[in-house]
Amino acid sequence: MEKLLKLCIMEKLLKLSLVLIVVIYCSATAVAKEWNGIVPLVSTKAEVEKLLGNGSPLDDKISEYHFEKSKVTVYYSQGPCTSVGDHAWNVPKNTVVYIVVSPIKKIFLHNLGVTLSEFSRSSGGADLPGTAFYLSTRIGMSMNVEERISPDKHTVTLIHYFPSKDQLELRCKNTVRPQIARSHTEVV
C-alpha cells in the first residue's frame, strides 16, 4: 500500500514537472509582432509566397510586394550566421528577418490597433520637424509617424517589423551591426 502511494505521488510530481516545463518554454519563446501572419525569424519564404504570391525579387534575399494600400519589402536570411550586419541571425536560409511596410494610402496611427505605451517615442528633431519615431524592441516593431496638431490625424509613413527582444539569442555573435540594428537591441 505504501509503495502504491509513493508511485502515485511520483506520477503526480512528474506530471506537474512536465506542465511547468511546457509553461516555462512557452513563456520564454515569445516571438516578434506579426504582419498579416508573417513573423520575423519564424516565417519562411515559402510561407510568404503562399500568403502573398511571388513578389518582385530585388535580389536573392529581398522581395517586394505592391498592393493597393502599401508596398511591402521582406528581407530573408541567407543561412545561419552567413550574413553580416543587420541580417546576421542564426536561422535557416529563406527565413524572414525583417518586414518593411511603406503605406501608399494614408494610415492613421489610431487605426493601427497598437498600444502606444509599449513604444518609446523620439522626435525627428530639426531635420525632420513634425516626425516622430516609435520603437518597441519588446514586440519587434517601429513606426515613422508624421504628427499633426490633432492626434487623430497622425499619419504612419513606415512600419518596420523585426525580431523581438526575446529573440535576440538568435543574433549571430561577433557581427558588426549598423546603426539601425543597435536601436533594435535597446531595452524599452
Side-chain angles (χ1 to χ4, degrees):
M1 183 72 167
E2 194 174 311
K3 198 174 194 178
L4 184 61
L5 182 61
K6 284 183 181 180
L7 281 174
C8 266
I9 291 172
M10 287 180 64
E11 182 181 355
K12 289 183 189 239
L13 285 173
L14 180 62
K15 286 180 182 178
L16 179 62
S17 298
L18 288 173
V19 168
L20 285 173
I21 289 170
V22 168
V23 167
I24 290 168
Y25 175 77
C26 289
S27 66
T29 57
V31 295
K33 181 102 171 135
E34 69 164 81
W35 178 81
N36 286 5
I38 302 168
V39 183
L41 302 190
V42 175
S43 300
T44 65
K45 188 173 188 175
E47 293 167 335
V48 170
E49 289 175 346
K50 186 175 180 182
L51 285 168
L52 304 179
N54 292 326
S56 303
L58 300 181
D59 62 26
D60 61 337
K61 65 180 179 264
I62 304 171
S63 292
E64 199 169 78
Y65 297 85
H66 295 271
F67 302 105
E68 182 181 334
K69 295 182 180 182
S70 61
K71 176 181 82 170
V72 178
T73 308
V74 182
Y75 296 79
Y76 299 100
S77 168
Q78 292 303 290
C81 299
T82 56
S83 298
V84 294
D86 219 14
H87 299 276
W89 294 91
N90 191 10
V91 293
K93 183 176 182 165
N94 292 327
T95 300
V96 173
V97 178
Y98 301 108
I99 307 159
V100 178
V101 179
S102 305
I104 294 169
K105 293 190 175 184
K106 282 187 178 182
I107 296 177
F108 294 110
L109 182 59
H110 68 274
N111 288 338
L112 272 185
V114 296
T115 306
L116 290 180
S117 63
E118 294 183 4
F119 291 80
S120 64
R121 181 191 173 281
S122 60
S123 172
D127 292 337
L128 297 168
T131 300
F133 305 100
Y134 291 83
L135 171 68
S136 174
T137 57
R138 191 184 70 71
I139 65 172
M141 183 179 176
S142 67
M143 301 174 289
N144 295 8
V145 178
E146 288 181 4
E147 295 188 331
R148 305 291 179 223
I149 293 171
S150 174
D152 65 330
K153 301 293 183 195
H154 291 1
T155 306
V156 179
T157 58
L158 186 75
I159 306 168
H160 190 195
Y161 298 88
F162 52 88
S164 71
K165 182 177 129 183
D166 292 333
Q167 294 172 302
L168 288 179
E169 73 273 0
L170 294 174
R171 181 177 285 288
C172 298
K173 306 295 182 239
N174 301 320
T175 60
V176 176
R177 296 188 300 248
Q179 181 66 30
I180 193 168
R182 273 184 253 145
S183 69
H184 297 167
T185 60
E186 293 172 1
V187 178
V188 174

